[in-house]
Amino acid sequence: NRVVPPSELRARIEDVLEVLADFKSRREPGRSRSEYIERLAQDMAELFGYLQELVDYFLSMLGPNEALEFLEASDKPRPMVVRVNTLKARRKDLAAALMKRGVRLDPLAPWSKVGLKIYESTVPIGATPEYLAGHYMLQSAASMCPVMALGPQPGDRVLDMSAAPGGKTSYIAQLMRNKGVIIANDL
């Protein structure tokens, strides 16, 4: 029941992956492939803090190398993203104002006309005058996608069944130009 250091877990994962890459010639005699996969799943679950059942699922879906890549990518911090409230500001103007305050940023991605990716800031992003005036809100890029897929228009009636904490709901209202009905609910 000793705590295994992360460096040891990583080394064991790499060793197992090497064996699995050329199983016939590298395996220990009498040890099955499923035993190696079981060890790999245990070590990945321990290293990345996942339930082993979930790691087992990733391994069955993706295979050993891709499962490791997925877990490593999921472990990296995502950049801070803000969504411009186009009812109150233009992205270009907001970006210029934030850069004057010492914020390093870029447009989020070609698919978003309202997102800005924040790399670093000398001021608290959630306390700028622009934030307090409602010119933008902190929102993950992933939570913008369902609203874009919905494509709400002014005058629509929308039932939002996943409304907390309100980013998607306010984006729906923004795209509807505050004209229409939104019923926002969450469990």
Side-chain angles (χ1 to χ4, degrees):
N1 271 355
R2 78 177 179 91
V3 175
V4 181
S7 59
E8 188 177 326
L9 289 169
R10 283 203 174 278
R12 286 195 326 213
I13 288 168
E14 292 302 322
D15 290 346
V16 170
L17 290 175
E18 280 183 31
V19 171
L20 293 173
D22 188 9
F23 187 70
K24 284 185 180 181
S25 66
R26 292 186 178 162
R27 75 180 183 137
E28 293 174 21
R31 201 158 168 212
S32 69
R33 181 176 177 78
S34 62
E35 290 176 272
Y36 282 97
I37 295 290
E38 177 69 17
R39 171 85 272 156
L40 182 64
Q42 290 171 356
D43 288 346
M44 285 177 160
E46 179 68 24
L47 181 63
F48 294 102
Y50 283 82
L51 293 173
Q52 186 176 335
E53 292 82 2
L54 188 55
V55 174
D56 289 337
Y57 182 69
F58 293 150
L59 285 166
S60 70
M61 269 187 14
L62 304 171
N65 289 310
E66 282 187 61
L68 179 60
E69 285 179 37
F70 174 77
L71 292 171
E72 288 173 337
S74 297
D75 209 31
K76 292 180 182 167
R78 290 181 302 280
M80 181 184 298
V81 174
V82 300
R83 175 182 48 81
V84 179
N85 178 355
T86 54
L87 298 175
K88 294 188 172 196
R90 292 181 357 184
R91 182 168 73 170
K92 173 176 83 168
D93 298 335
L94 177 63
L98 291 175
M99 288 190 295
K100 284 181 185 173
R101 296 188 187 285
V103 178
R104 223 179 91 235
L105 55 81
D106 276 323
L108 174 60
W111 54 262
S112 172
K113 293 180 167 104
V114 296
L116 292 170
K117 190 183 323 182
I118 309 295
Y119 296 108
E120 69 181 280
S121 177
T122 58
V123 296
I125 293 298
T128 66
E130 294 81 9
Y131 176 81
L132 297 172
H135 292 194
Y136 67 90
M137 104 176 273
L138 297 164
Q139 183 172 3
S140 73
S143 68
M144 293 181 202
C145 295
V147 178
M148 292 170 63
L150 179 64
Q153 300 295 314
D156 282 355
R157 294 179 58 172
V158 177
L159 173 61
D160 183 351
M161 295 294 291
S162 182
K168 290 183 296 294
T169 307
S170 65
Y171 191 18
I172 291 168
Q174 176 181 322
L175 292 177
M176 292 169 60
R177 295 185 181 89
N178 286 337
K179 293 176 176 28
V181 176
I182 301 172
I183 299 169
N185 192 11
D186 205 298
L187 296 177

